[in-house]
Each structure stands twice: as C-alpha cells, then as structure tokens.
Amino acid sequence: MTRVAMASDDIARLADALSKTHVGDGELSYKGLGLKLDDAESVEELVREIEHYTGLRALRLEGNTVGVDAARAIAKALQSKDLLQRCYWSDMFTGRLRSEIPTALRSLGGALMSAGARLTELDLSDNAFGPDGVKGIEQLLKSPSCHNLQELRLNNCGMGIGGGKILAEALIEGHRQSSEHGAPLKLRVFVAGRNRLENEGARALARAFQLIGSLEEVHMPQNGINHAGVMALASAMRHNPELRVLNFNDNTFTKRGTLAMAQALRHLRNVQVINFGDCLVRSEGAIALAAVLREGLPILKELNLSFGEITEAAALVVAQAVMDKSDMEKVDLNGNSLGEEGCEALREAMENMDKGGMLASLSDDEGEPDDEDEEDDDDASDASDNCDEDNGEIVKENGTTREGDSPAKPQSPAEITSFLSCPSAERLLQLGEMRTSLQQQVDASDPHNAADVLLKIAALYSEEPETKTAVLETIDAVLKKLLCGSAFQSYCFLSSLLVKMGLLKGEGRVKKASLVPGQLLCLEHAIQQEYFTGHHASLLHTFMSKNGGALESCSSASERLSSTLEKCLNQH
C-alpha cells in the first residue's frame, strides 16, 4: 500500500470516528478511538471540529496516538479556545519516539498559554515520556494557564527522579506566581503512581506539597520510595488539612516511615481512605496506626494495610481500634502473617464487634512468620525511633527533630547516672527522695530508652517491704508519665516494651531483656492503676495471649499477670 493510500485510509477512519464522537456539555471527545494521527492532513477533520466548537471546555484525546506535526495542527486550533478547562490527554503517544513527545507537548501547552485558557484538570497519565516529557509541560505548569489547576494526573509516565524534581520546581514556581496575583494555586488531586520517583523525587515533591497546602487526594503508589522519602512526604501531608485520600501503596515504609505517617495522620481530621498496602508497615507500625485510629481519623471509611508483614496480635490491635469508627466500610489486612488460626481469630474479633462485613478477604495470608531474625538496612537500630508530639517540627532522617524540639532533659545528678549504669536495690534505696528524678530520665519521644529504664527498675523488685515500696512507687511515677499522654505515644512506648520483652518481633538489631519475675509482677501492679487504661491492658493482653511462650522463664509471674489482665479487662 502506498503512503498516500495509507494517509487516505486514516483520514477516512477519522471521518467515520468523528461522526460517532460525543459532543456536548462543552466537551469534545475522541476517547479510545485508536486513531493514528501523524501529520496535519490526518487531523484536518478533528481540527475543524475543534475550531467550530463554540464554548469548548473539555477535550478528550486519550487512547489515540499523536505525532509532532499532528500536535502542532491541533495546537493551532486550540489557540482561540480561551474557555478550555479540562484536558484529558492520557495514553496519547503510543508508538511515538520518546524524543517526539516533549515537542508535541510544548506545542499543545504553548497553545493553551496563547489562548489564555485556565485549566482546572490536566491528565497526561500513561504517556511514557520520562524526565524530558516533564520538561515539555514545565512552562505550562508555571504559567497562568495552570494557576487554577485543581487536578493533575501523571500516572505511569516514567518521570524518574529527574522528572519528579522538575515537576516539583514547576509547581513551586506556579504557586509563587499565582500567590503574587492574589490567588495561590490550590491543587486538590495529585496522581503520580508508577513513576520511579524514589526518595529524591519524593522529597522534592514534598516541598511543593507543603507549600501548596490544599491537597485532598494524593496517589503515589509504586514509586520505589523508602522510609527517608516517606518521612518527607509525611511531614508535607500534615500541612494539607483537607486531605481525604492517601494512597502510597507498594512503597517501603518500614517502621520509621510508618511512625512518621502515623504522626501526620494525627493532625488530619478529614481522611476517608488510607492505602498503605504492600508498604511493609509491619507490626510496630500497625500498632502506631491503631493508636491514631483510637484518638483521631473520625470519618475514616477504608483502611488498607495488606501485605505488610503484620502478625496476628498486631492485626487484632488494629481490629479493636476500628470498633468505634461509625463510618468505616472496609479494613484490608490480607496478605499479612497471621497464620490460619490468626485469620480465624481476626474474623471472629470483627464478627464480635458486628463488623465482620467490612473485613476484606484473607485468602492470600502469608502464614505465621518464622522465628529467624531479619535485619533491615533501613532500620538497623531503634535509636532513631521518634514518637514526638511534633508541634510543627520536621522529622529528620535520623529521627531527631527541628523546629520545636522537646526541651532537653535536665542534667542528671551523678547518683542517678550511677544507678542507671549499674542498678541495684541498695542504690535505689540510697537515692531516697531523689528517686523522683528517675521520672525525668524517660521521655515518651524515645520509647526504646524509656522501656529500657523501666525494665531496669522493675528488675529490682523483691518482696522485702522497703525495696518493694521503692520499686513500685518509682514504676508508678515513670509509667504515669509515659502513659498519660496521647494514645500514639503510649502505644509507641508499649510497643517498644513488648519488643524488649520478646512478645513482639521488632525491626533491626534489638537486644531483648533477660526477664525476671519481678518485672512481670511490677506490670501486674501497674495494670491495676488508673494510669493504665483499658486500651493499654487490651494491647498487653493481646500480645501475651498470642506470644506467651516468650515468658516461659517466668511462668508463675506470667500466669499472675495474665490472670490480673483478664480481670481488669472484664471490669472495663
């Protein structure tokens, strides 16, 4: 077939397609027609339609393939369309050379700017244009034509780190320019899944998100982001109070990333959908999120924590936390490490709360985890944990904070330092009234250290009256400080305590305590005090009932603790 005949055939197909084109409500649609538009001749009919459409507000070109010359011809027709607001241009360059796409995009973007159009929606998803493609829309995004942009969709575009940085700078510049004109950019929906943004791209976009502050939906699944990028995004999310949908599926949170996201969620009251599926949230992260469910997220509808290596006990803690969520419609804990009995226990727990219908299928459960300790490069040490109440600070990668750090702990008296370095009942008694200073040695923002101090003191328990009184009074003072703050901080502390006790598998290299009966007897005392709430008791009981074998060395004290826990829970 000759080239002329092929062109004629395409034109004939276009004419036929145009006769079926949806026209109405200000929208001109060529969606999914599979047209191969190579040059100006191939789009003559399409261009005529655009030129003659008065009041064009939306143009759908998705599902066709547009070459450079065809794009230029379409662009020329768009130069007079100043009312155009919505451009649905996804999957528009199939089969085109990657080098062609930026040129085509510049032509189309330039036409929108020349026309003085004010876009509210721009969808360029499923166009594999890479970083150079982002350069093709860079000027458009900065221009007044995008100062009213509400929805930006760039899913599956292969932007990479470089493209993410260019996009972020364009959004920041667009926000700056629009602010100078008195009407700052108020982007509501951002979609950029499957773009290989990684940590650097995520950090760059986080800066833009924090500045914009108007986001309602953020979809960034499958971008190769680990805890460092997640922490930056979490910090930015809390500056967007209208957030309704958070989708970071298939990135790698691990513990540090999940804690940062949990902190952010504590400040967001309008979230309806959380998708952290396939994000390696793990059990400690799930407990932190359960704490946030306890004290916030009042209108949450969907929670996806699937494929996160969450164990049975942690899944049950999450289930208990959704009990009072009246708007909750779906909880997805599929693909975790519950085991057959764990799956059944979770179903039963949800049924008992009359919420069995909201639990997603558990058909892909991974089974109970083995006992082999795994170490993560990202989470090699608990020393970086941070559970600050975070009054406006940005969490740095090493877990410390700036912009509102907690006040530094007062200098410890030499006697206190000496006691903590080598604890003994004799030294505890010698401290006298100075024992109250031990309370100042723990901080809920450092749960790992707090758990360590508590277990050191509890290990000194004995039935000798003076020692027993000194130990229990000190335990009460320490725990009252640690458990009377937010649910988030108290759950983080209890999580660290469970790891130290061997009741919960932690991330990284965590040295477990060599338990003695006195530590469990101190806990038995503590759970009967007012500061130890029903929620705290339920958390401890759940892990003891599922992992009680870790306490075999203290079987008698363990049985006493379990029995008292059950009595306390029945009273609540």
Side-chain angles (χ1 to χ4, degrees), residues 53-127:
Y53 196 112
T54 304
L56 181 64
R57 294 183 183 276
L59 178 61
R60 290 190 173 275
L61 295 174
E62 64 263 56
N64 301 289
T65 176
V66 180
V68 172
D69 291 336
R72 286 183 179 132
I74 295 170
K76 189 172 181 180
L78 290 175
Q79 287 178 352
S80 62
K81 301 301 171 183
D82 61 324
L83 298 179
L84 187 61
Q85 295 179 325
R86 303 186 302 279
C87 295
Y88 303 110
W89 295 349
S90 63
D91 189 20
M92 202 173 75
F93 298 109
T94 300
R96 300 294 169 183
L97 293 175
R98 192 156 163 173
S99 59
E100 293 181 82
I101 301 174
T103 305
L105 289 171
R106 284 191 186 93
S107 295
L108 294 166
L112 297 174
M113 291 186 280
S114 296
R118 293 292 185 271
L119 297 186
T120 57
E121 296 181 45
L122 177 61
D123 186 353
L124 288 165
S125 298
D126 300 315
N127 290 310

Side-chain angles (χ1 to χ4, degrees), residues 281-307:
V281 164
R282 294 190 173 135
S283 296
E284 289 178 274
I287 292 170
L289 290 169
V292 179
L293 285 166
R294 288 279 191 194
E295 63 184 351
L297 300 172
I299 59 173
L300 188 66
K301 292 182 177 180
E302 294 184 24
L303 176 65
N304 184 345
L305 298 179
S306 59
F307 299 93

Side-chain angles (χ1 to χ4, degrees), residues 312-314 316 341-342 345 368 503 541-549:
E312 175 191 353
L316 288 169
E341 291 183 6
E368 293 183 57
L503 292 169
H541 180 263
T542 298
F543 276 88
M544 281 195 65
S545 63
K546 300 302 176 184
N547 305 296

Side-chain angles (χ1 to χ4, degrees), residues 394-415:
I394 297 172
V395 182
K396 295 188 290 189
E397 190 171 339
N398 65 2
T400 60
T401 58
R402 60 178 184 269
E403 295 179 31
D405 284 34
S406 299
K409 283 190 291 189
Q411 187 68 33
S412 303
E415 294 88 345

